[in-house]
Amino acid sequence: MYINGDWERGSADASFAVLNPADGSVIAHVPDGGAERARAAIDAAADAFPAWRATTAYERAAILMKAHALMLERREKIARTMTEEQGKPLRAANTEVRYAADFLVWFAEEAKRVYGETIPSARPDQRFMVLHQPVGVVAAITPWNYPISMITRKLGPALAAGCTVVLKPAEATPLTAVETFRVFEDAGFPNGVVNLVTARDPAPVGEEFVANPKVRKLTFTGSTAVGKMLAGRAAGNMKRVSCELGGHAPFIVLGDADPVHAAKGLQLVKFLNTGQACISPNRVYVHRDGADAFLETLTGRVAKMKAGSGFEDGVTIGPLVDEAAVAKVEAQVDDAVAKGATVLCGGKRLTGNGLDKGNFYAPTVLDGVTPDMRIYREETFGPVAAVVRFDDGDDILAMANDTHYGLAAYIYSQNLARTMRLLEGLDFGIVGINDINPASAAAPFGGMKDSGLGREGSREGIAEYLETKVAGFSI
Ligand code: NAD
């Protein structure tokens, strides 16, 4: 843990093990901080806030730029740590470190563009001026699936805005957070400006975050259930809240689309991070005209994917995070098959070649998925492409919107008018159009409905950490 500029190692009885999901081995032990350490970190952040907010945007940007450079310099080392504790292939881990660093440089630049405004008054002797100021101490909670970019997507804008921060990373991936904080330390953030609390049980730390009056803002990325609970508690204490939550993305392939191109795109985005992404397609709607060609291409490519340790050459599918995740995928596939879906490839746990020790499930393609199946409604967070064929008479917009989630959606089509109508009608915050990567530090990221509140990235991302103050001048 890193509190007020000091590293805390924890004692033998106050630490917990971090496991490698590819083989179940213990990688390291990290301190098990509870409410008391969270409080100490919040106190440090509160004490550091007045001096940090008084720095200029140029000073804060310079430190963020240094952190950006250091993160890239240490990219390989950080990526190895991530692959070891999270399981994703090393190449994907490297890509994630670059994406994480992007948030540091983007918000370093954005710090200088926190503009206010002047507003005309109806009174001739009055002037209005609006200024934006940092909200104060920010408490951040991040998930394990993107262990570094979810940190910088929050801390980059918070620090640029002039806030001080306490982070609690996911219990499965604290080591990547530790590497990130070494970067922050070496970049020169003053003591108390960034603080890291690791914990085996997140609940007491979360409760401290939502109840402690010194915390002015909670930013959370994780499941919808936990996000709703924390947002509710934080609302009771009138704290600002941003939540990036679960998703159930529709991937729509219209009849005029090239089904082979669409299948190639789906294979890349669906199996990224072994399907453990909030923007992962969960319902794949393919027009009946292109369905056979689509499924042939998709199945051919998915069947060739190689599962294993992320350190092995050629591996494109890593393990799932834990046994419970494998059991959930297995239950959704079994339920779909029992209700009439067909397994075109995969459909089982992976064993042999040392995979038994890890949490591996075969990349899977299901055909004939219907709305009564669990996989049609529940976030899978695993390597399963669930395909639904649709016809001309079907209301594809209503089908796509038929979920309480609203994070990402994808459209494949060559018809601009149909695409535009669908885009405007979709109740989702992020839409990829013939594109599988609609995310960037420069673009707003976030969901509607049960997928969250607020946006990260882009100029909206820094606004989440700013208060608005108006001054009326009598002259
Ligand atoms: P999770 O909600 O179990 O855990 C997320 C974080 O919340 C972890 O740090 C965890 O320790 C913490 N947490 C859990 N219970 C808590 C409590 N009672 N009090 C305080 N903190 C608590 O979710 P997960 O399974 O780790 O992550 C996967 C989920 O995250 C998926 O639903 C996924 O869609 C979502 N996610 C969303 C985005 C996005 O940007 N919308 C990005 C990544 C992941």
Side-chain angles (χ1 to χ4, degrees), residues 141-146 150 153 168-171 199-207 220-227 229-230 243-247 276-279 379 381 405 407 445-447 451 456:
I141 299 179
T142 49
W144 48 265
N145 61 340
Y146 286 91
M150 297 301 98
R153 199 160 79 174
K168 192 211 75 64
E171 49 278 24
R200 183 206 313 256
D201 177 3
V205 176
E207 180 55 29
F220 173 83
T221 295
S223 60
T224 294
V226 175
M229 184 279 288
L230 290 173
C243 283
E244 298 285 352
L245 308 177
Q276 301 170 116
C278 51
I279 60 169
E379 192 178 29
F381 241 56
Y405 290 114
L407 190 59
F445 190 105
S451 289
E456 294 188 324

